[in-house]
Amino acid sequence: MERLTRRSADGRACFKPHLYGQMNKDVCDRLAAYEDTGLEPEDLKRAFNEDGVLKLAGQALGITPERLRELVQADNEGLCVVLPFKPPRWVYMCSARFPKPAKAHYASAINVLHDMDNGCVFGDTPKDAEDALRREQDG
């Protein structure tokens, strides 16, 4: 790619002499910033296809692109649930039917899903569970 701009000694972007008067400074600055990357339009198209984006996302998240695809598919099929904590463990639980006092509850992954379906909320303390219920009821 032939550059249309150059950098002056103080770092400002300017047009090459044969282009003066043909474009304004804002356009020149934007073009110069792009040209400074050294990338061709084809390079950008290659880098920002689905595989490239998934690879970058996977690297940032520490997961393979294949696993990201599996998770998206499972989520689209309604198979993903985000639990409020990592079971099994003791938590306090309450619901609209049984708001106070929050009860201690040994929660496994299976009963947490069942309890969530029945409107239960959880906390590390009775107050945490009651506050979570209040937030849910307030919307």
Side-chain angles (χ1 to χ4, degrees):
M1 168 178 75
E2 180 186 353
R3 288 188 64 109
L4 303 176
T5 61
R6 63 177 179 81
R7 293 279 177 190
S8 62
D10 62 356
R12 287 180 302 118
C14 24
F15 292 108
K16 290 190 172 179
H18 68 281
L19 294 173
Y20 281 116
Q22 294 181 20
M23 298 179 167
N24 67 36
K25 183 181 178 332
D26 292 339
V27 173
C28 183
D29 285 340
R30 290 181 64 193
L31 177 59
Y34 167 72
E35 289 178 336
D36 287 345
T37 69
L39 295 173
E40 296 286 341
E42 296 77 26
D43 297 330
L44 293 173
K45 290 174 188 170
R46 277 193 304 276
F48 291 101
N49 62 31
E50 181 180 327
D51 288 336
V53 171
L54 280 174
K55 184 175 180 182
L56 289 172
Q59 288 172 344
L61 298 171
I63 191 170
T64 66
E66 294 75 26
R67 181 67 176 144
L68 282 172
R69 283 189 180 94
E70 288 173 9
L71 290 170
V72 168
Q73 181 178 349
D75 187 46
N76 290 341
E77 294 172 1
L79 300 174
C80 288
V81 176
V82 177
L83 299 177
F85 56 88
K86 185 177 179 180
R89 64 177 267 207
W90 282 95
V91 294
Y92 288 87
M93 175 181 84
C94 60
S95 68
R97 263 182 66 200
F98 305 105
K100 288 184 181 180
K103 305 281 186 211
H105 178 69
Y106 187 75
S108 69
I110 298 298
N111 65 14
V112 169
L113 290 172
H114 176 73
D115 293 338
M116 288 172 66
D117 281 345
N118 289 318
C120 295
V121 294
F122 307 90
D124 290 327
T125 67
K127 183 179 182 329
D128 290 345
E130 292 161 11
D131 290 346
L133 180 61
R134 194 172 309 105
R135 282 191 305 274
E136 189 168 289
Q137 290 171 337
D138 290 346

